[in-house]
Amino acid sequence: MDLHVSLPWELEEEILSRLPPQSLVRFRTLSKRWNSLFNDKSFINNHLSLSRPQFIFLTKSKIYSIDIIDQRVTLRGLHSSCRDSNLQYRRITTCDELLFCKYPPFHSKMETALWSPWLRQANLIKLSVGKEFNVFGLGYDNSGPQKVHKLLLYHPPQVAAIYECASHVLRYINAPYEVHMPEIDRRSHVSLYGNLYWIDSNLQTSEYFIQSFDFTREIFKPFCLLPLQDNNCLNELRLAVWKGDRFSLLKQHFLKRKIEIRVTKNKIDDTEEVVWVNLMTLTATNLPNLFHKKYGVSYFIYDNTLFMCCSDDKDRHPCIYIVKGDVCKKIQIGYGKVDWFSHCAYVPNLISVPLEFQI
């Protein structure tokens, strides 16, 4: 018996597009039509645009998603999909809509993973390079019909290379002397449209700007100057992707602790001038100090509210901070002190890891 004949298909699709991915994955076996819909690119993109951001949180042995609704925090354990269950010292970030895991510089394991947590798909990439190389980030060449994924590697002080994930070919590239690549848990990079972007500074002019790496052309290039250039050496600056196609910039002054959020007015496009607009100014008296966090700071903006994940001011306990206007609510994650953790903001989705990369 078909239990769904009473609903118009358009309404049914609209309802499904607003459900969390963990529910949709379970529904695949209930209906062939639903299963086919969940593989449809337009449905996947629409579902992504309606999804509420969350945090992905790693401890030494567990991976969690952190969902925040009505100022309540829900932790869900996730299947890592990777053959190595020891997660300690892995760093996690995003490559567009997928998760990217890596080990820190000079770790004994030269491997990375591209991961879709809700679909339980992963690509474990073991690098055929020396331990002197550090994995900076993952991107792709999107000039052809298929994405060609590549890793950007570097060897301090100024040696850079491209590692093609499918062919396992290593190729050295030019890295200008003035390019600085930050550690992933400090002022880390973001990924958009297959390219990497991060905050850098010009030591001669003291100007702060967004540096980028174009994986299609395989070049470093400055993207744009940052707004709020005054005394940036005394500010904590954090870059994030906003609304899936723009940037947001978080600035906290060292002394005042006030937080300002600027966003790009238009979609990110190399052909247009970047215009920044003020989104919000947050003045709560109990805002956390975001400077020099041992395990970094990740954040997202949703419903005119700032959500941040970082350690508390004593760098002991991981916490979620929910800030709106002059009110800041702090919620400790788990119980007691956590010896090590990594985290990032993430929009849950149904996007698959490329077939040639799945374990």
Side-chain angles (χ1 to χ4, degrees):
M1 173 185 252
D2 191 343
L3 301 179
H4 306 285
V5 291
S6 59
L7 284 178
W9 174 244
E10 293 78 9
L11 178 58
E12 199 170 308
E13 184 175 340
E14 177 66 21
I15 293 172
L16 291 170
S17 67
R18 296 179 181 276
L19 295 179
Q22 63 266 31
S23 298
L24 299 184
V25 170
R26 293 197 301 267
F27 292 167
R28 282 185 180 274
T29 57
L30 300 181
S31 165
K32 291 182 179 180
R33 193 176 189 185
W34 284 3
N35 185 52
S36 177
L37 176 67
F38 299 159
N39 293 323
D40 181 77
K41 187 174 181 179
S42 62
F43 176 83
I44 291 173
N45 291 335
N46 185 45
H47 177 268
L48 175 66
S49 69
L50 296 171
S51 291
R52 183 188 184 100
Q54 56 184 214
F55 293 107
I56 299 295
F57 184 80
L58 276 71
T59 66
K60 289 182 178 180
S61 59
K62 300 287 186 180
I63 305 177
Y64 301 94
S65 66
I66 302 178
D67 212 1
I68 309 161
I69 300 177
D70 296 330
Q71 299 200 2
R72 290 182 298 176
V73 171
T74 302
L75 271 71
R76 292 187 179 89
L78 296 177
H79 187 275
S80 72
S81 306
C82 293
R83 288 173 286 205
D84 183 4
S85 60
N86 181 15
L87 302 170
Q88 186 177 10
Y89 307 128
R90 282 194 177 186
R91 272 52 171 170
I92 190 164
T93 182
T94 58
C95 176
D96 285 2
E97 292 79 23
L98 297 171
L99 290 170
F100 176 62
C101 304
K102 67 180 279 290
Y103 282 100
F106 309 111
H107 196 275
S108 59
K109 292 188 177 183
M110 291 300 296
E111 62 185 34
T112 66
L114 188 61
W115 177 37
S116 177
W118 301 114
L119 299 182
R120 296 191 176 188
Q121 298 172 349
N123 158 234
L124 190 65
I125 307 166
K126 294 192 175 182
L127 306 179
S128 304
V129 297
K131 295 179 183 178
E132 69 275 9
F133 276 103
N134 304 323
V135 177
F136 182 68
L138 176 71
Y140 53 83
D141 178 347
N142 57 13
S143 60
Q146 299 293 330
K147 296 176 181 178
V148 179
H149 285 84
K150 305 175 184 179
L151 291 168
L152 176 60
L153 312 180
Y154 71 101
H155 178 199
Q158 289 304 124
V159 178
I162 287 293
Y163 188 88
E164 294 192 1
C165 299
S167 64
H168 303 287
V169 171
L170 179 70
R171 183 172 60 260
Y172 289 90
I173 60 173
N174 179 49
Y177 179 76
E178 63 272 14
V179 171
H180 306 98
M181 289 182 275
E183 295 299 331
I184 200 167
D185 274 350
R186 298 299 294 270
R187 191 178 283 166
S188 60
H189 60 69
V190 300
S191 172
L192 184 62
Y193 301 140
N195 297 324
L196 297 179
Y197 301 85
W198 64 96
I199 295 174
D200 204 346
S201 62
N202 187 316
L203 298 180
Q204 294 181 337
T205 65
S206 298
E207 290 180 318
Y208 281 70
F209 63 97
I210 296 178
Q211 180 67 267
S212 71
F213 184 77
D214 185 325
F215 278 91
T216 300
R217 300 167 62 192
E218 296 184 357
I219 59 171
F220 296 90
K221 57 181 181 180
F223 179 70
C224 72
L225 285 175
L226 290 182
L228 312 169
Q229 287 288 337
D230 57 305
N231 297 320
N232 271 333
C233 60
L234 298 177
N235 298 327
E236 179 66 13
L237 301 171
R238 293 281 167 172
L239 186 67
V241 174
W242 184 58
K243 290 190 173 181
D245 56 15
R246 304 160 203 229
F247 290 142
S248 66
L249 177 68
L250 181 154
K251 170 190 170 182
Q252 184 182 50
H253 192 277
F254 178 70
L255 297 176
K256 298 178 181 178
R257 288 212 185 182
K258 176 181 71 173
I259 291 177
E260 297 175 63
I261 304 288
R262 299 288 181 102
V263 297
T264 53
K265 184 177 181 180
N266 303 311
K267 296 179 181 180
I268 296 304
D269 186 340
D270 284 345
T271 64
E272 294 188 9
E273 180 183 357
V274 179
V275 177
W276 295 86
V277 296
N278 184 43
L279 183 67
M280 60 178 69
T281 300
L282 305 166
T283 57
T285 57
N286 60 334
L287 287 170
N289 182 353
L290 303 179
F291 286 76
H292 308 301
K293 289 296 187 186
K294 185 176 181 181
Y295 302 114
V297 179
S298 57
Y299 77 93
F300 64 83
I301 302 157
Y302 186 82
D303 193 23
N304 296 315
T305 304
L306 173 66
F307 299 85
M308 297 184 290
C309 180
C310 60
S311 57
D312 59 17
D313 283 349
K314 294 183 179 180
D315 246 349
R316 294 179 180 174
H317 306 290
C319 298
I320 298 295
Y321 293 89
I322 306 172
V323 192
K324 188 169 186 176
D326 59 356
V327 177
C328 175
K329 182 177 181 179
K330 172 184 172 182
I331 304 174
Q332 185 173 311
I333 302 172
Y335 305 95
K337 182 179 178 180
V338 177
D339 293 333
W340 176 91
F341 62 94
S342 181
H343 54 94
C344 71
Y346 176 69
V347 181
N349 61 79
L350 296 173
I351 295 175
S352 296
V353 172
L355 287 175
E356 65 269 26
F357 290 158
Q358 293 181 22
I359 295 176

